[in-house]
Amino acid sequence: MRAAAIPEMAVHVHTLDNGLSVYLSRNPEEPWISCRVAVRAGAAQEPASTTGLAHYLEHMLANKGTRSLGTRDAAAEQPHLNRLRELYEQLRETAGEPRSQLFEQIDEANQAANRWAIANELKQVYGRLGARGFNAFTSHDRTVYVVDIPSNRLHAWARLEADRFTEPVFRGFPTELETIIEEKNRALDNPGRVLSMAANELVWAGHPYSRDVLGEVEHLLTPSIAATEQFFSSWYVPNNMAVVLAGDLDPAAALEIVQAQFGRLRAAPLPSRDAPSPAPLNGQARVGVVHRGDEEIRLIWRTVPREHEDADPLMLADMMLDNSSTGLLDTRLEQRQLVRNAGAYPNLRMLGGTETVWGRPRVGQSLGEVEALLREQVEALRAGEFAQSDLDDLIANFEVGELRKLESNSACAAVMLDAFTYQREWDAVRTRLAKLAQIDKEQVVEAARRWLGDELVIAERTAGEPPVSKIPVFGLSELQLDADSRSQMSTEVLALPAPPLELQVLQVGEHTERSTTAAGLLYRTPNPNNDLFQLTVRVGLGSAHDPTLSKALALWGRAGVGELDLEGYRRALFREAAAVAVDCRRQQTDLTMAGRAPTLAKLLPLVRERLRAPVLSEAERARWAEDVVGKRIQRRDTTDFKFATLKQWALRGPKSPYLCEALTNDEVLALKLDDLCAAPGKLLTHARVSVYAGPHERETLVDLLGLDDPSPLAVPDYEPLRLDAQPAERTRIFVVHHEAAQTKIGLYLPSEPYDPTRSAIYRLFHEYVGGSAGLVFQEIREARGLAYAAHGGHTAGSRVGDQNLIWASLASRPDRSVEAAAVLLRLFREFPLHQQRFERAQASALERMLSSRVRFRGYGFAFETWRLRGLEADPGPASFAALEQLTLDDLGRFAGTLATAGLALVIVGDLARTDMTALAGLGEIELRELDELVVY
């Protein structure tokens, strides 16, 4: 048994006098702090009569403000908020036509309260502070509020968050509920989510885990503000909460700040967490759903809570089934191509757990056949058909994962969040890897035999048209948003003193070493933390040059090498805790290797030989080709695929890569094995750029990589990205019919070719349109509740000459899709210019630049990106200076072309539920069939 010691993760754990748990971890490598506020309560704690409550409470707390933030006059708005609370209680007791009258009154009260509201003020303030990743999430066991802040803004963060959980105000409830219903619609369009919901109702029958976190539709239509407030009062108390901070902080000073702000939260007795036991399974239970896309079968066993003594052995048992390399499902099913895909995953929670083993069939294979194969592998696990050395290799891979985790603030924060959620002492967390290393094969087999037996749920998803659930619309009026006012608290928080941050400026020679070799450029950056390396070899060949190359590299993933078959090759990598990946794009291919430094010399000859002479049989090629075609056929039925092909048609017309760079199904089936085996070797014979981060010296790398070998072949010239512009002053509406709960909408305008001297205005426009509380988000989601997620912005070309793209996207109910599309068009055609919004966007963009950091693994990639954009040095200083000087007039001139430019509106949704007459009033409709958009 090899000994394994978890790398030290220095964490300071404290408990304030009011019971608040505080976890602090220092990482000074970049001026950022990952901040989390966690509550040990979620969907499992909500009343059975108001499912979804914990989730919509998260929405309210995420951005609706408090008595001090998000309002111009809390006292003036309070009577209207009280009225809304009363009306929603009446709604719960009302059926039929009287509900319509109540909705009218709710709309009136919402409008009245909105007169005092400042839209998205919390999100706006965080934007001004330069924060990123502002979000929240709810599970059955916990709710977590997330944001990453520049390290000089910890005082501001603490004040905002303590206020958020001290005096929240649930303003904007009706509009936010519309947004939550859109989120529910999105879930109903997700095949995996629908199957999980059906399975959980059987696995956890009678238990809170059987509920969907988003709530039942009937409960979403009869929500209760009063119940939401009661849930907050009961569970959002400091003795049930934690503050988690990971990043560039001084632990003692951070604790003092947290104590000063969060110490005023009042502790309270907690309600009971007792939950009814789930109904006995009594053998096997089956459930099935019909949905688009891949068919799938899941075998689901009910297992143990996270802190049960069998939790760790079961986790290792899961890894013996599926670790993407040497698990029983990997080696006996996927690598032998007996199924299209198979895998396993555990879900160990506070009150119980599950183990899921899943599979997807190949063409012509039944779900019953897949089920039998999955059961065979579970029985093999229970019979102990794996070696102790396999467990030892797992621990070696865990060690590498822990080393990478220490470099990530968010990963460290996640570890601390789990420690709080599952009430695990930090010493147990710190020593967990060493304890895992002591678990032997016998313990793993015993746990599998104990829990993965005859009592289980079998859940199947078959291909077909799902029943489309139409969730009624409340019919709320549009809100006139005040995004320009500022509360006193906002002013005070933004005025808090903050030590200035310096703009990061990278320089060749200081941050990375760049040299020219016979094979091409080499960027070499030392790893300042440990002995891990990462090497990417980039070759300017892609699917646009040769469509066969991308297919060959996909098949290469199934190849053996020399005397090793695929299983032997993957075991060799897994034993060394090494990883190899390939990414073939339109005009470049990246081959990436990673692991601990001593493995590089072993890894490179193996990979080189596998590229030069992959070991594959004709039968393997034929099965792979059949799977490619089968997956293509099933993807055709999905919203995302139809939208992707229609978008490319709108932007490129007949030059869409789905038409001119893709192989037909017959061409895929006819690909020759010799051609497929020869293609990967091109990565060895052509000029390349090598980007390395790790402990090796340059001379060693040049020798290992063969960079001074005879001159390589030249790669094709880069073809700049060109997009089709629509005729001036016209809006062309590209439409594909697709029955679904949501309609997906995109608005696109090809802009000017990328010009590095104009990066500042690109950045400002992107922030103004799509940044924190940006134009699209506020007008689509906050003012009208038309979408759960609404985005927009500016995408700059990756090289000089590439065309930029201005865009916006959302998903909405079909019966509101025309309204949503009309709002998008109006925003772009009549682009609103407001000084206050401009100042927020400019300040946010500047703060983001000051706090942004490229980490050491990214140094070489950053310099290569700048080189391809025609830049000889870090453009940050010039861009920052230009951004500071921009005015509202500059933004207006940049956006001025939108009024008369040709726009492309892309819509994929249920046309039977869409007002096509109203849609025709927005532009020229062009109905398309999928067969016109893709060659397969």
Side-chain angles (χ1 to χ4, degrees):
M1 174 69 67
R2 67 192 296 278
I6 186 170
E8 185 63 31
M9 177 178 164
V11 172
H12 304 260
V13 183
H14 306 272
T15 303
L16 303 189
D17 291 342
N18 60 5
L20 181 77
S21 299
V22 182
Y23 293 77
L24 306 170
S25 177
R26 182 172 182 266
N27 175 17
E29 287 193 23
E30 57 177 346
W32 282 94
I33 303 174
S34 289
C35 306
R36 313 287 185 260
V37 178
V39 183
R40 202 184 288 119
Q45 283 67 51
E46 63 195 13
S49 60
T50 52
T51 62
L53 180 152
H55 175 248
Y56 57 73
L57 171 60
E58 171 227 305
H59 273 246
M60 300 309 297
L61 288 169
N63 198 31
K64 296 306 174 184
T66 67
R67 286 189 60 81
S68 304
L69 192 75
T71 181
R72 291 184 290 109
D73 190 330
E77 76 173 342
Q78 192 60 53
H80 307 295
L81 297 176
N82 292 341
R83 176 63 175 155
L84 279 171
R85 184 190 300 105
E86 296 168 2
L87 289 170
Y88 274 109
E89 293 309 303
Q90 294 177 35
L91 188 68
R92 290 171 62 81
E93 307 298 328
T94 305
E97 183 59 30
R99 284 178 63 88
S100 298
Q101 299 172 5
L102 281 173
F103 283 137
E104 291 179 4
Q105 296 178 56
I106 286 171
D107 192 32
E108 291 175 3
N110 193 40
Q111 290 285 344
N114 181 66
R115 287 198 294 268
W116 304 103
I118 303 173
N120 313 115
E121 191 170 27
L122 179 60
K123 195 170 185 179
Q124 289 182 40
V125 173
Y126 271 128
R128 292 286 293 267
L129 295 173
R132 64 190 183 193
F134 179 74
N135 209 340
F137 63 87
T138 304
S139 70
H140 285 92
D141 291 337
R142 66 186 179 187
T143 309
V144 181
Y145 299 83
V146 176
V147 69
D148 289 354
I149 60 166
S151 57
N152 63 340
R153 296 295 191 174
L154 189 58
H155 281 278
W157 169 85
R159 183 161 179 195
L160 289 169
E161 295 299 307
D163 179 66
R164 178 174 8 186
F165 298 104
T166 301
E167 293 187 312
V169 173
F170 300 159
R171 58 178 62 92
F173 188 87
T175 310
E176 194 64 28
L177 198 62
E178 295 271 275
T179 297
I180 292 166
I181 288 174
E182 287 302 332
E183 188 176 2
K184 183 71 173 180
N185 279 326
R186 189 169 71 164
L188 295 174
D189 276 342
N190 184 312
R193 185 73 176 262
V194 170
L195 184 59
S196 294
M197 287 190 284
N200 285 336
E201 290 180 4
L202 281 182
V203 175
W204 296 107
H207 189 276
Y209 285 170
S210 66
R211 307 169 187 162
D212 180 30
V213 171
L214 297 182
E216 299 301 322
V217 172
E218 62 181 292
H219 296 158
L220 293 178
L221 298 178
T222 55
S224 170
I225 297 177
T228 307
E229 292 172 337
Q230 181 59 47
F231 188 91
F232 174 83
S233 299
S234 298
W235 294 102
Y236 279 65
V237 291
N239 43 310
N240 194 45
M241 298 172 66
V243 165
V244 173
L245 303 175
D248 185 17
L249 56 85
D250 175 82
L255 179 62
E256 186 176 337
I257 292 170
V258 171
Q259 171 69 61
Q261 295 296 333
F262 289 86
R264 54 194 169 96
L265 274 65
R266 295 183 179 180
L270 291 171
S272 171
R273 291 185 184 272
D274 292 342
S277 298
L281 291 176
N282 297 324
Q284 300 179 11
R286 289 184 178 269
V287 65
V289 302
V290 177
H291 219 293
R292 304 179 191 90
D294 292 345
E295 294 193 333
E296 183 176 312
I297 186 166
R298 300 179 189 177
L299 312 182
I300 309 168
W301 288 265
R302 194 187 297 156
T303 59
V304 301
R306 178 72 69 95
E307 294 307 301
H308 190 279
E309 61 183 4
D310 278 340
D312 284 345
L314 280 171
M315 188 270 288
L316 293 176
D318 171 82
M319 297 292 284
M320 285 295 96
L321 283 170
D322 173 23
N323 55 51
S324 300
S325 295
T326 63
L328 294 167
L329 296 169
D330 304 314
T331 59
R332 299 186 178 188
L333 297 187
E334 279 212 331
Q335 293 171 19
R336 298 178 188 178
Q337 296 177 291
L338 298 184
V339 297
R340 179 182 296 168
N341 303 108
Y345 56 88
N347 187 7
L348 305 181
R349 295 180 279 184
M350 188 181 297
L351 303 177
T354 55
E355 175 67 22
T356 299
V357 178
W358 61 273
R360 293 174 184 159
R362 302 184 66 249
V363 176
Q365 188 177 38
S366 70
L367 288 176
E369 291 171 318
V370 176
E371 178 183 345
L373 290 168
L374 296 177
R375 286 179 179 270
E376 287 178 10
Q377 310 322 311
V378 175
E379 287 308 309
L381 172 71
R382 287 162 49 88
E385 295 180 18
F386 61 92
Q388 178 63 49
S389 60
D390 293 330
L391 284 175
D392 296 340
D393 292 342
L394 270 181
I395 301 302
N397 280 268
F398 284 156
E399 286 180 340
V400 171
E402 293 299 322
L403 287 171
R404 291 297 293 264
K405 189 181 296 181
L406 290 175
E407 299 174 9
S408 166
N409 291 337
S410 60
C412 290
V415 173
M416 294 186 283
L417 277 174
D418 280 353
F420 165 73
T421 302
Y422 304 109
Q423 298 173 293
R424 187 178 297 148
E425 294 294 329
W426 187 254
D427 189 61
V429 178
R430 186 181 60 80
T431 59
R432 182 166 182 253
L433 189 54
K435 291 177 180 177
L436 285 175
Q438 300 304 315
I439 297 173
D440 60 23
K441 174 182 173 180
E442 183 178 348
Q443 291 171 277
V444 172
V445 171
E446 286 179 358
R449 289 174 177 171
R450 189 156 40 244
W451 297 104
L452 307 185
D454 296 330
E455 293 194 344
L456 73 157
V457 168
I458 300 102
E460 298 181 353
R461 184 178 68 241
T462 54
E465 288 298 316
V468 178
S469 301
K470 183 177 180 180
I471 304 178
V473 180
F474 291 145
L476 297 174
S477 302
E478 176 182 332
L479 295 178
Q480 297 301 313
L481 297 184
D482 176 5
D484 296 332
S485 297
R486 183 183 296 178
S487 66
Q488 180 63 32
M489 183 174 180
S490 168
T491 301
E492 292 174 0
V493 168
L494 291 171
L496 286 173
L501 295 176
E502 292 187 5
L503 186 71
Q504 183 190 39
V505 181
L506 300 183
Q507 295 182 0
V508 171
E510 178 181 349
H511 294 91
T512 196
E513 175 186 272
R514 180 171 62 193
S515 58
T516 301
T517 71
L521 285 176
L522 169 64
Y523 295 91
R524 188 190 71 86
T525 305
N527 181 339
N529 302 315
N530 48 54
D531 69 343
L532 296 182
F533 79 88
Q534 178 176 297
L535 169 68
T536 296
V537 177
R538 177 169 293 174
V539 180
L541 296 172
S543 59
H545 307 120
D546 179 7
T548 301
L549 178 62
S550 63
K551 298 304 176 202
L553 289 171
L555 178 59
W556 185 71
R558 297 180 178 272
V561 53
E563 298 298 318
L564 299 177
D565 60 8
L566 177 58
E567 179 181 347
Y569 166 74
R570 288 192 175 176
R571 285 189 181 279
L573 263 60
F574 200 71
R575 192 174 302 118
E576 299 292 340
V580 177
V582 66
D583 179 18
C584 182
R585 302 184 184 182
R586 291 191 64 249
Q587 299 192 69
Q588 74 178 42
T589 298
D590 285 358
L591 176 67
T592 299
M593 291 163 269
R596 304 191 88 154
T599 67
L600 182 59
K602 305 175 187 177
L603 188 60
L604 277 170
L606 193 66
V607 172
R608 198 176 283 122
E609 180 62 20
R610 190 167 178 250
L611 288 169
R612 186 179 294 111
V615 176
L616 289 160
S617 69
E618 173 58 27
E620 289 171 325
R621 182 214 64 81
R623 285 196 296 269
W624 164 81
E626 290 172 1
D627 283 348
V628 170
V629 172
K631 183 172 288 188
R632 282 176 160 190
I633 292 171
Q634 290 182 322
R635 283 182 63 212
R636 284 173 58 94
D637 291 332
T638 64
T639 303
D640 288 345
F641 182 74
K642 290 178 179 179
F643 190 86
T645 58
L646 185 60
K647 174 186 172 182
Q648 289 303 316
W649 172 262
L651 291 175
R652 302 188 193 182
K655 293 183 179 179
S656 162
Y658 289 100
L659 293 173
C660 64
E661 296 174 13
L663 299 175
T664 67
N665 289 339
D666 287 343
E667 288 172 333
V668 169
L669 294 172
L671 287 170
K672 302 298 184 185
L673 180 62
D674 288 347
D675 294 337
L676 290 167
C677 288
K682 294 178 181 179
L683 302 185
L684 298 172
T685 58
H686 285 72
R688 52 198 178 272
V689 173
S690 302
V691 182
Y692 174 86
H696 292 86
E697 296 296 330
R698 180 189 181 280
E699 292 73 18
T700 304
L701 286 174
V702 169
D703 182 54
L704 287 173
L705 296 173
L707 297 179
D708 279 343
D709 291 348
S711 298
L713 300 174
V715 297
D717 291 337
Y718 180 79
E719 182 180 338
L721 177 64
R722 290 287 185 266
L723 304 174
D724 289 348
Q726 305 303 327
E729 299 187 9
R730 289 170 58 186
T731 299
R732 295 180 68 189
I733 306 173
F734 302 87
V735 180
V736 165
H737 173 66
H738 179 74
E739 290 187 18
Q742 285 196 309
T743 293
K744 195 166 183 179
I745 302 171
L747 183 66
Y748 302 100
L749 168 64
S751 187
E752 65 187 48
Y754 176 78
D755 180 349
T757 67
R758 287 169 59 77
S759 62
I761 192 65
Y762 301 158
R763 186 186 297 268
L764 178 62
F765 180 87
H766 184 81
E767 188 70 35
Y768 190 92
V769 171
S772 296
L775 183 65
V776 172
F777 177 86
Q778 283 197 338
E779 296 297 327
I780 295 293
R781 173 171 165 159
E782 295 301 299
R784 299 167 179 84
L786 289 170
Y788 167 67
H791 307 285
H794 180 280
T795 300
S798 60
R799 300 195 188 193
V800 171
D802 280 351
Q803 203 160 358
N804 301 334
L805 182 67
I806 293 172
W807 59 274
S809 65
L810 60 90
S812 188
R813 291 193 293 270
D815 49 4
R816 301 194 74 185
S817 60
V818 177
E819 180 186 358
V823 173
L824 278 186
L825 281 171
R826 187 168 70 250
L827 289 177
F828 279 65
R829 289 294 191 204
E830 304 169 16
F831 194 79
L833 292 169
H834 297 296
Q835 184 64 36
Q836 293 91 337
R837 177 176 276 139
F838 168 82
E839 291 172 0
R840 287 197 305 270
Q842 185 181 45
S844 179
L846 289 168
E847 287 289 344
R848 290 179 194 276
M849 289 194 70
L850 285 171
S851 55
S852 178
R853 291 295 183 270
V854 179
R855 300 292 297 274
F856 72 92
R857 286 194 179 89
Y859 291 167
F861 293 105
F863 282 108
E864 178 63 7
T865 297
W866 297 332
R867 184 183 73 84
L868 295 176
R869 285 181 164 176
L871 298 164
E872 296 183 359
D874 188 336
S879 183
F880 188 88
L883 183 57
E884 285 186 305
Q885 299 303 315
L886 290 175
T887 67
L888 183 63
D889 288 341
D890 294 321
L891 179 64
R893 280 188 289 272
F894 182 80
T897 58
L898 296 174
T900 58
L903 299 178
L905 192 62
V906 175
I907 298 178
V908 173
D910 188 348
L911 302 189
R913 297 167 57 196
T914 302
D915 187 340
M916 297 301 291
T917 301
L919 184 63
L922 301 181
E924 305 167 29
I925 296 177
E926 184 176 311
L927 286 170
R928 287 286 168 179
E929 297 294 331
L930 187 58
D931 286 341
E932 300 175 279
L933 307 175
V934 60
V935 298
Y936 55 84

